[in-house]
Amino acid sequence: MHWLVASGQAGVLEESPLQNVSRWHRLTPDTVDAVRAGLAPRAMLTLWPPLSTDVAAVLASVPEDGRVEFVREDAAGAITGVRVDGEQREESAALAAGARAAAALPTTVDEHRPPAAAVRPDEDGVLRARWRTIWAPCDRTWAFLNALRPGQAVTGTVTGIADTVAFVDVDGFTARIRQPELSWRWVGDPSAVVAVGQEATAAVLGADLVREELCLSLKAMEENPLTQLADRVGEWVDDVVTKLLPIGLLVRIEDRPDGLEGLVPEAESAGEAVQVGDPLTVRIAEVDLARQRFLLSRRRALG
């Protein structure tokens, strides 16, 4: 509830201790706990989007051939809800008069989709009620995310690409693959790895039920290239310098744009004029899988 209110998805709570009896509460991040403390056990709780201060627009949105729950907040802050037909324009206008905020909530089965619904347990934490909660979008999301486990493979379709993240639709839920999880190798632009419309199979990194986020990893489905490199410790390689750093030189040991780059410590290259693009003979000195890096030694190669 805290997350739905803080993210602007919910702003009003409908508390129904009995059938066809409702109490309404306006929610803000500062009042959620106070409202929750006063709720009746076994009450049906339904979260709705925030009320709109454009009362005239809310009134105009009431369909002429339908029935809605017209929820209004008066100048004193009291919230009430009344079901009205679209044909009852005069009655609706009277309800809207003096309201500082309002909402027209649908009542039909197909359109009655609150952000979340639940039942308040008794004081001992046991649920003793026969309410049938409304299957809200939040409930579907929770059920979907709760069924996932870290490392589980899921398949979806890439729907969008930003500067540092790719978005993937998995069973109607938008998951994220952040740049470091696209590949074991360096990726400057996510579009170099995935494309919109492409089907992608990735591993679940984690599902956050509170923030309703699902993070995936493409690289977890591939073998770590450093695993094979660990078997080559002591081998000599010939390649080129790709970058000069205060702590040493970066040398690419694979003939490809995203080839693996290792560090030659500054102590082994001090005093020598080496430029980017220069060929260099180095030896694979150490592979650290935990830190995802490897060290090269020019001194040992020369020796």
Side-chain angles (χ1 to χ4, degrees):
M1 189 158 64
H2 269 292
W3 169 248
L4 290 172
V5 173
S7 62
Q9 300 180 59
V12 178
L13 174 66
E14 180 183 5
E15 176 191 7
S16 301
L18 298 171
Q19 189 75 35
N20 298 324
V21 175
S22 293
R23 291 194 301 168
W24 297 84
H25 309 272
R26 190 164 192 176
L27 299 175
T28 68
D30 297 329
T31 63
V32 168
D33 291 333
V35 170
R36 179 161 41 192
L39 297 175
R42 309 188 187 185
M44 166 71 84
L45 309 174
T46 308
L47 280 174
W48 294 103
L51 300 180
S52 171
T53 56
D54 192 347
V55 179
V58 173
L59 189 61
S61 69
V62 177
E64 295 182 359
D65 57 351
R67 196 177 190 192
V68 299
E69 180 93 12
F70 190 84
V71 182
R72 66 185 296 274
E73 180 183 30
D74 61 23
I79 303 177
T80 55
V82 179
R83 294 201 172 190
V84 297
D85 292 325
E87 298 178 353
Q88 300 172 308
R89 289 292 173 180
E90 293 184 2
E91 181 178 345
S92 300
L95 290 171
R100 66 183 187 185
L105 306 178
T107 58
T108 60
V109 175
D110 293 338
E111 298 179 343
H112 194 75
R113 292 289 183 268
V119 177
R120 180 86 158 88
D122 286 345
E123 296 300 330
D124 58 3
V126 178
L127 186 63
R128 301 181 181 91
R130 293 187 175 181
W131 294 98
R132 176 174 293 180
T133 59
I134 301 165
W135 192 248
C138 183
D139 301 321
R140 293 188 182 89
T141 297
W142 187 90
F144 170 72
L145 295 179
N146 191 54
L148 300 176
R149 295 293 179 267
Q152 177 180 342
V154 296
T155 300
T157 303
V158 179
T159 57
I161 298 174
D163 291 339
T164 60
V165 65
F167 300 96
V168 182
D169 180 273
V170 181
D171 293 335
F173 186 89
T174 300
R176 300 180 181 185
I177 306 178
R178 294 185 171 86
Q179 188 170 357
E181 297 300 326
L182 288 169
S183 174
W184 289 105
R185 303 175 184 276
W186 183 82
V187 176
D189 183 357
S191 61
V193 180
V194 294
V196 174
Q198 171 187 337
E199 185 178 272
T201 298
V204 174
L205 281 183
D208 190 325
L209 297 176
V210 176
R211 292 179 172 80
E212 298 184 357
E213 291 184 354
L214 174 61
C215 294
L216 305 178
S217 173
L218 270 182
K219 74 178 186 182
M221 304 298 294
E222 304 171 351
E223 183 181 3
N224 184 351
L226 288 191
T227 303
Q228 295 181 352
L229 194 65
D231 298 331
R232 299 172 57 190
V233 171
E235 180 180 327
W236 293 18
V237 292
D238 297 311
D239 224 301
V240 297
V241 177
T242 56
K243 188 175 294 186
L244 305 180
L245 302 174
I247 60 173
L249 310 173
L250 281 186
V251 177
R252 183 188 296 128
I253 66 170
E254 293 180 314
D255 188 17
R256 48 186 289 177
D258 60 351
L260 297 175
E261 293 179 325
L263 177 70
V264 178
E266 190 272 339
E268 299 195 18
S269 58
E272 299 185 41
V274 179
Q275 301 297 324
V276 172
D278 286 354
L280 210 63
T281 299
V282 293
R283 192 175 186 183
I284 301 173
E286 177 187 342
V287 176
D288 189 340
L289 294 176
R291 302 174 69 179
Q292 193 59 26
R293 71 176 191 178
F294 63 98
L295 297 178
L296 302 172
S297 173
R298 189 180 185 195
R299 180 177 299 165
R300 295 177 193 174
L302 293 176

